[in-house]
Amino acid sequence: MILHWFKKKYPDFWEIYAGSFNHQEHNDIDNERFVVFDTETTGLHFATDRILSLGAIGVIGNRIDVSKSLELYLHQEKYNNETAKIHGILKLGHLDKVSEQEAVKAFLSFAKNAVLVAHHIDFDVAIINSALHRMKLPPLKNKICDTGVLYKRTLDIAPDNKHYGLDELCNIYNISKHDRHTALGDAYIAALVFMKVLSALKKKYPQLALNDLFLPRRRQGLI
Amino acid sequence: MKNTIAERVVDFLKNHPPFSMLNNENLFTIAQNVEILYFEAETYIFKKGQKVADTFYVVKDGAVGVYADDGKTLVDKCDEGDIFGLRALIRKDFYQLDAIAMEESIVYGVGAAFLETILENNEDAQNFVLTSFATYGYEVQASLDAANRVNMAEDITHDALMAKYSKNPVTCLASHSVQHAAQLMTENRVGSIVVTFQNMPIGIITDKDLRSKIATGKYTILEKVDKIMSSPVICFHEQITVAEAQVKMLNHGISHICITTDGTSQTQLIGVLSEHDIIVIHGNNPAALIKETCRANQVEQLAFIRTKITNLLADYLKQGLSMNYITQIISEMNDSICKRAIVLSLKEMETPPPVSFAWIALGSMGRGEQLLPTDQDNALIFENVSDDIYDKTKAYFVNLAQKVSKKLLAVGFEYCPAEMMASNSKWCLSLEQWRQQFEYWIKTPTPDNVMLCTIFFDYNLVFGNPQLVSSLTQHINFIVSGFDTFLQFLAKNAVQNPPPLGFFRNFLLEAEGGHKNQFDIKARALMPLTDAARLLSLANKIHGLRGTILRYKKLAEIEPQNAAIYNSCASAFKTLLRFRAQYGLNNQMHGRYIDLQKLSKSDKLKLRSAFSPIKEIQSLIEVRYMLARLI
C-alpha cells in the first residue's frame, strides 16, 4: 500500500479504469459482465503491428445488448497491403477513424473491470498491451478467457496441439460467418461461441465457477 | 456511427414482418436497441405469471414453443423470423403462456416502446401485429375489420368515361292515357317513359310527374299524357360522357336525357340516360346493381351483373370494409340474381305454378358466405298436394328448377358436383316430404346423413313462400329437441377436421388428388368453424340467423362465459373468408385451394393466426358433447 505513494501518476482515464477493479465483486457466471472483443491488425507481430479496428460487446448471462457495443476504426501510419485482403480496411477509407490513443481510451472505459473474452485472446491482449506501452501505461488488468481454450475443455478428448479457428467453431456451432473479419463481426461471432461453449461447459461441469474460465495469468502475453 | 451488428440485425429483420413493412431508418433504430439472447434447448424465455418484459421477441435461429396449460399444450411454434411475447406491446401485466426454447435458439429482444411508436404511423405493420397477437386465440379480440379504415378514393378517370344509357327506352304516344303510360312503366320496371311522335322525343314522364301531377289529384289518370309530360326534352347524341351528362342534368334541373341520332329532338330516339344510369357507372352501388338485376331479361345481362359484383367485391376488399358488411351485400346481390333467374324461368313456363313453393339456397350460399361464385347448392319446397297430383306437381317444379339451374350456370354458378340442386328430383319435394327427409336424417345419423344435414341445415329462402320454410324449420327444431343424440353426431362431425395448426410452415396440405400439396382453406379452416357454429346454434335453438359470423355473435351473447372463444372464432372466420376471397380474386378462381409457396410470410402468418380458434372451439365441443366416449 505504501508503494501507492510512489506510483507514477497516470492519466484520469486510466485511473478510472484501474479504479473499477478496486471494488470488484466476483459474481457468479450468470451475472458477470463479459466483454467479448476482437481486433483487426496490420499483422501478427504484436510488437510491431498496429490495430486497424476494434470491436467489443458486452455479454451478461445470455444477453447481448446491441446498443452497448463498441466499434472503432483507427488512423494508420503503418499499413500492410497484404492483410488488407483479409479485413478490407483501406488506409484512407470512408469510415470515421480515431487515433490509437483514443481507441485505447474508449476500449478501457467500455471494458472497465469486465472479464475479457476473445478467440485466441493472447494476441488481442498483447497488441492492446503494446499500444498501452506506447502510451506509457501498464498492461490490461482484466481477467481473461479464451474461447478456443474453453472450447477444447468441452471435448472429452482434447487434441493437445490442435488450435480451433473461429471459422471452425462457426461450423461446429452452426453460426453464420457473416461479417467475419470485421472486428465487431468477429466479436459478435466470438460472443455467440462463448455463450454456446459456456452452456456446454455448464452441462459438463455442473459446479463450474467463474474462476474456472480464466486463462492462467502466466500465459498472458505468450503466443 | 457504424454498428456492424445492428446492420446485420437489420438485414435479418427486414425480411420478416412486421419489420419488413418499416423503412430502413426505423429498422436501424430498432436494431441498434435489440438485445440478442441465447437460450439453450428446454430453457424458458418467459414463464406464465411472470411480469411482462418491456421487450417482445423475434426468433433469429432455432425454435421457440409457446405453451398453454403449464407446458402441456403447444399453442405456437415459432421459428426463424417469427415473433412472440407480444403481450409486452399491448398489456403491461403478466404472461399468460410459457415460452420455451425447443432447441438451442438465438432470439432478438425488441424494445416494445420502440416498435410502438413506429407502429403508430404504419397501418400495415399495425394490422400485422394485431393479427399476430390474435394468434394466441382469444387473448385479444383485435378484429382486423376494426382496424381497417374505409378508403374511398375518388376515381378521377370516371370523368372521362362515356355514359352508358339505356337502349330501347319505353315509349308511348301523346294520345295515350296517363294510366296506360303508368302501366307500361310498371311492366317494364322503369321510372320514366318518353312520349314520341314518329319515334322522335317530344316529352317525358317520370315517376316524379306521376307523384306531383296525378297522385295529388291535379289530373286524372285518364288524362292524355301530353297534359302532364315535361316538354321539350333535353337531347344529346350518343357520344356523351358522364361529365357532360351530369352538367346537362344540373343545368336543366332534370334527371333524364334523351339520346337521339344527332343530338337534337328532331331525330330518332335511341335511348334514355337517367341519373340512375350514371350512378351505375360510378359503380360500387349495390342498390343500382340490384335494380339492374331486377330489370334484366336475358341471362347474359345477369352474367354481366355477376362480373360487376365480383368487381365490387374486389373494391370492397381493397377498401377494407368490414367482412360483415361485405358478406351481407354480396349475398344480397347473389340472391337477387338467383331470384331474377327464377322469375325469368317462371315466365318461360307454360302455366303458373300449381301451388306455392319456396326456393332455398343451401350451404355457403344459404349462409350468405359465397363471395366468389362457386357451385350452386339449392333445393325446392312446394306446398303439400294430394297424392294423385303429387307426381305431376313435382314434375312441374323439377322442370322449373332445371331452367333455373341452367340459367345460374350461364351466370357463372357451376353445377353442384354432388347434384345438390332443386333440379335433382331428390331435392325437389313437398313440405311433407321434406319433413320426413329431415326426420330420417336426424334419427338415422349415419356419417353420410350427418354430412347432408350440414349442407341442408344452412338453408335460406331465396324466392317464394316464406311460410313453407318457417314451417319446415319448426318441424326440424321439434325433432332435434326430442332427439339429443343427434347433436352428438353433429358434434362428432364438427370436430372431424382437426385444425391445420400443425407445426410452423407445416400447414396440413392435401396429400393427393389434383390439389396435391395445396392448402384447402375451405375444408381445413372455414368448414370446422362453420360446422361448430351450426351445431352450437342448433343446440341453443338459435334460428333465422344467416351466416357463421352472426351465429357466433349470437352465441357470444347467449353464453357470455364463452364469449371470448366465440368472438375469436368470428374474427378468425372473417379473416379466413377475406383471405379466400382475396386469394380467389388474385388468382382468378374461387380461392379454395391455396398454393402456400405463392404466399408471403405475412400472409402465411395471417392465415395461421386464424387457426387457433378452431382448436379452441373444437375442444369446447369435445368437452361439451363428451366426444371421447363416442369416438
Side-chain angles (χ1 to χ4, degrees):
Chain A
M1 265 299 155
I2 305 263
L3 283 173
H4 181 74
W5 298 101
F6 301 101
K7 241 166 82 178
K8 263 199 268 180
K9 178 72 184 154
Y10 293 120
D12 284 350
F13 72 87
W14 178 268
E15 294 297 343
I16 292 167
Y17 162 72
S20 69
F21 290 86
N22 286 349
H23 307 287
Q24 187 160 30
E25 284 170 31
H26 270 292
N27 292 313
D28 54 287
I29 294 177
D30 289 337
N31 294 309
E32 180 66 32
R33 176 164 180 262
F34 296 91
V35 165
V36 189
F37 75 108
D38 181 63
T39 55
E40 296 295 316
T41 58
T42 54
L44 291 173
H45 303 283
F46 63 86
T48 52
D49 280 306
R50 294 291 187 268
I51 301 170
L52 282 166
S53 68
L54 188 154
I57 40 173
V59 174
I60 299 175
N62 64 348
R63 213 166 275 261
I64 299 173
D65 195 342
V66 177
S67 67
K68 298 192 187 84
S69 61
L70 186 70
E71 186 164 19
L72 299 168
Y73 294 84
L74 280 68
H75 288 297
Q76 295 309 314
E77 280 118 52
K78 188 175 152 61
Y79 187 75
N80 183 338
N81 287 324
E82 284 306 302
T83 52
K85 288 175 198 160
I86 297 172
H87 49 66
I89 299 169
L90 302 175
K91 192 174 178 187
L92 297 164
H94 62 276
L95 295 160
D96 289 339
K97 289 180 178 169
V98 296
S99 67
E100 186 178 74
Q101 281 95 329
E102 285 168 315
V104 167
K105 208 169 137 180
F107 179 72
L108 293 184
S109 84
F110 179 82
K112 298 191 192 71
N113 63 358
V115 177
L116 295 181
V117 182
H119 196 68
H120 298 157
I121 194 165
D122 299 319
F123 176 76
D124 296 283
V125 167
I127 200 150
I128 289 176
N129 281 345
S130 51
L132 286 167
H133 185 71
R134 281 191 289 279
M135 293 163 73
K136 314 237 171 335
L137 290 170
L140 288 169
K141 297 165 72 78
N142 306 65
K143 300 267 187 204
I144 63 172
C145 303
D146 185 300
T147 43
V149 172
L150 289 181
Y151 171 71
K152 278 211 225 172
R153 290 217 252 146
T154 66
L155 304 176
D156 287 331
I157 305 155
D160 253 0
N161 298 317
K162 178 154 171 53
H163 282 277
Y164 288 88
L166 199 52
D167 284 325
E168 219 169 336
L169 294 187
C170 280
N171 291 339
I172 291 166
Y173 284 121
N174 197 16
I175 295 170
S176 152
K177 278 180 241 171
H178 257 304
D179 303 309
R180 184 85 176 84
H181 300 299
T182 70
L184 192 57
D186 277 357
Y188 173 65
I189 290 168
L192 292 181
V193 168
F194 176 67
M195 290 195 286
K196 288 181 183 226
V197 165
L198 214 53
S199 92
L201 282 177
K202 277 194 260 181
K203 237 175 242 168
K204 197 174 171 195
Y205 308 105
Q207 303 294 318
L208 191 76
L210 187 60
N211 270 322
D212 301 334
L213 303 177
F214 302 148
L215 211 56
R217 274 269 162 194
R218 55 177 172 78
R219 279 202 51 189
Q220 284 186 33
L222 299 175
I223 297 181
Chain B
M1 206 172 93
K2 190 170 164 61
N3 188 331
T4 306
I5 299 177
E7 282 168 19
R8 207 49 66 207
V9 173
V10 169
D11 284 346
F12 175 78
L13 291 182
K14 74 179 180 204
N15 293 320
H16 300 283
F19 307 103
S20 54
M21 300 160 186
L22 306 179
N23 64 27
N24 254 334
E25 194 189 327
N26 285 339
L27 262 182
F28 197 72
T29 312
I30 289 181
Q32 271 182 312
N33 292 286
V34 150
E35 275 181 349
I36 298 169
L37 304 163
Y38 169 77
F39 294 97
E40 286 172 58
E42 286 156 33
T43 52
Y44 282 89
I45 288 102
F46 54 75
K47 271 186 192 177
K48 185 181 166 182
Q50 230 171 41
K51 209 164 171 303
V52 167
D54 50 13
T55 54
F56 70 97
Y57 304 97
V58 186
V59 180
K60 164 67 171 68
D61 293 308
V64 172
V66 179
Y67 294 86
D69 307 332
D70 299 317
K72 285 199 269 303
T73 314
L74 179 67
V75 177
D76 197 12
K77 183 182 175 192
C78 304
D79 66 8
E80 203 176 299
D82 290 343
I83 53 181
F84 65 98
L86 281 172
R87 187 163 282 272
L89 254 183
I90 311 209
R91 282 189 215 152
K92 316 267 183 216
D93 54 2
F94 301 94
Y95 285 112
Q96 302 292 308
L97 301 164
D98 293 321
I100 303 170
M102 301 174 86
E103 50 190 78
E104 189 187 38
S105 302
I106 292 171
V107 171
Y108 290 161
V110 181
F114 281 105
L115 196 65
E116 224 160 329
T117 43
I118 286 162
L119 284 187
E120 271 170 24
N121 300 314
N122 190 323
E123 207 174 316
D124 280 350
Q126 201 177 3
N127 280 346
F128 177 83
V129 171
L130 284 178
T131 328
S132 306
F133 197 70
T135 303
Y136 305 121
Y138 47 86
E139 283 194 14
V140 154
Q141 287 125 40
S143 120
L144 263 183
D145 291 349
N148 282 323
R149 277 173 201 87
V150 186
N151 179 18
M152 303 261 202
E154 198 63 49
D155 194 347
I156 42 163
T157 56
H158 274 165
D159 286 347
L161 278 182
M162 299 309 289
K164 219 174 127 250
Y165 56 89
S166 315
K167 287 176 186 161
N168 305 320
V170 182
T171 60
C172 67
L173 301 173
S175 55
H176 282 138
S177 69
V178 171
Q179 184 180 26
H180 178 71
Q183 281 165 350
L184 281 175
M185 287 164 75
T186 308
E187 265 171 44
N188 290 287
R189 296 166 173 274
V190 291
S192 68
I193 188 164
V194 182
V195 185
T196 55
F197 173 71
Q198 294 178 349
N199 202 27
M200 291 183 290
I202 54 170
I204 189 164
I205 296 174
T206 63
D207 281 346
K208 193 179 153 202
D209 294 318
L210 297 177
R211 185 174 72 228
S212 61
K213 293 169 188 164
I214 305 298
T216 53
K218 243 177 167 173
Y219 297 91
T220 72
I221 55 167
L222 298 172
E223 206 76 59
K224 297 275 176 287
V225 292
D226 58 358
K227 281 275 190 302
I228 67 157
M229 70 185 185
S230 310
S231 184
V233 291
I234 307 303
C235 297
F236 212 95
H237 54 79
E238 62 178 334
Q239 296 296 315
I240 184 169
T241 67
V242 173
E244 281 168 335
Q246 279 177 320
V247 168
K248 257 213 146 48
M249 286 179 185
L250 282 171
N251 282 348
H252 294 89
I254 53 166
S255 55
H256 293 77
I257 294 172
C258 289
I259 306 295
T260 57
T261 323
D262 73 351
T264 70
S265 58
Q266 305 306 309
T267 46
Q268 298 287 300
L269 173 74
I270 49 177
V272 169
L273 179 68
S274 67
E275 236 175 346
H276 161 262
D277 293 322
I278 290 174
I279 293 171
V280 171
I281 287 171
H282 269 289
N284 295 9
N285 183 327
L289 277 181
I290 287 178
K291 265 193 194 167
E292 218 180 314
T293 311
C294 295
R295 277 190 207 161
N297 284 314
Q298 312 282 329
V299 176
E300 293 74 29
Q301 287 171 282
L302 289 178
F304 181 64
I305 293 168
R306 183 53 243 190
T307 61
K308 281 195 193 169
I309 295 175
T310 303
N311 294 341
L312 195 61
L313 172 67
D315 279 358
Y316 283 176
L317 290 173
K318 210 160 91 193
Q319 290 165 12
L321 292 184
S322 97
M323 230 30 213
N324 229 346
Y325 176 76
I326 296 180
T327 51
Q328 277 173 28
I329 295 284
I330 302 289
S331 58
E332 197 62 46
M333 291 196 286
N334 278 337
D335 285 357
S336 75
I337 285 188
C338 203
K339 253 182 230 171
R340 191 63 194 163
I342 297 167
V343 171
L344 292 178
S345 304
L346 276 170
K347 277 188 189 165
E348 289 170 18
M349 298 297 285
E350 278 162 17
T351 55
V355 290
S356 77
F357 70 99
W359 181 280
I360 53 179
L362 308 172
S364 63
M365 224 179 170
R367 290 190 304 274
E369 287 159 5
Q370 199 182 94
L371 295 180
L372 292 167
T374 54
D375 46 2
Q376 35 173 310
D377 298 325
N378 46 49
L380 193 147
I381 312 168
F382 54 87
E383 219 176 293
N384 292 331
V385 292
S386 57
D387 287 352
D388 53 322
I389 56 162
Y390 186 85
D391 288 346
K392 208 179 135 209
T393 311
K394 179 168 170 160
Y396 176 92
F397 285 113
V398 170
N399 185 13
L400 172 70
Q402 279 167 350
K403 287 183 193 302
V404 177
S405 269
K406 222 169 139 185
K407 287 193 176 58
L408 290 177
L409 177 71
V411 170
F413 298 96
E414 299 284 323
Y415 286 140
C416 168
E419 286 201 60
M420 285 183 194
M421 297 185 289
S423 54
N424 178 347
S425 66
K426 273 166 89 178
W427 314 128
C428 180
L429 303 172
S430 72
L431 177 59
E432 185 50 38
Q433 292 288 316
W434 272 117
R435 286 179 172 182
Q436 286 175 22
Q437 180 66 73
F438 272 101
E439 189 160 350
Y440 168 73
W441 283 335
I442 292 166
K443 292 192 172 168
T444 323
T446 64
D448 277 355
N449 287 348
V450 171
M451 198 273 289
L452 285 169
C453 281
T454 63
I455 294 163
F456 279 89
F457 271 11
D458 292 333
Y459 57 68
N460 185 59
L461 175 71
V462 174
F463 183 91
N465 183 355
Q467 277 171 356
L468 293 172
V469 176
S470 55
S471 156
L472 182 62
T473 306
Q474 271 176 24
H475 185 68
I476 291 171
N477 294 338
F478 175 71
I479 304 170
V480 169
S481 61
F483 200 73
D484 277 351
T485 41
F486 171 71
L487 290 180
Q488 289 211 322
F489 284 96
L490 210 54
K492 190 180 163 194
N493 175 73
V495 298
Q496 74 183 3
N497 274 329
L501 191 64
F503 270 12
F504 183 65
R505 282 187 195 142
N506 300 340
F507 280 82
L508 296 175
L509 301 181
E510 299 316 297
E512 46 203 44
H515 299 285
K516 196 171 173 199
N517 292 332
Q518 290 184 325
F519 178 71
D520 183 347
I521 192 172
K522 180 185 171 187
R524 300 276 183 201
L526 285 163
M527 232 163 69
L529 287 171
T530 306
D531 285 343
R534 183 188 308 107
L535 163 72
L536 295 165
S537 302
L538 208 57
N540 276 297
K541 302 198 170 27
I542 299 172
H543 305 292
L545 279 184
R546 196 178 179 193
T548 306
I549 301 170
L550 291 182
R551 281 174 176 169
Y552 277 120
K553 293 246 156 94
K554 187 75 190 172
L555 284 167
E557 261 173 54
I558 295 179
E559 299 177 17
Q561 71 277 21
N562 294 321
I565 297 182
Y566 294 145
N567 285 329
S568 72
C569 283
S571 280
F573 189 80
K574 285 186 219 169
T575 305
L576 291 165
L577 207 57
R578 183 187 291 277
F579 201 92
R580 177 177 176 180
Q582 192 66 63
Y583 188 82
L585 281 173
N586 294 348
N587 295 285
Q588 301 291 316
M589 35 83 101
H590 49 63
R592 173 168 176 175
Y593 295 99
I594 289 176
D595 186 351
L596 290 176
Q597 288 177 338
K598 283 190 187 161
L599 295 189
S600 68
K601 175 121 189 192
S602 139
D603 279 343
K604 271 188 216 170
L605 276 170
K606 226 185 260 172
L607 195 54
R608 195 170 54 122
S609 76
F611 296 160
S612 313
I614 301 178
K615 203 172 171 194
E616 301 288 341
I617 195 79
Q618 289 192 341
S619 46
L620 183 144
I621 289 172
E622 273 167 18
V623 172
R624 186 168 297 181
Y625 293 96
M626 293 180 289
L627 290 182
R629 274 205 250 152
L630 199 70
I631 303 166

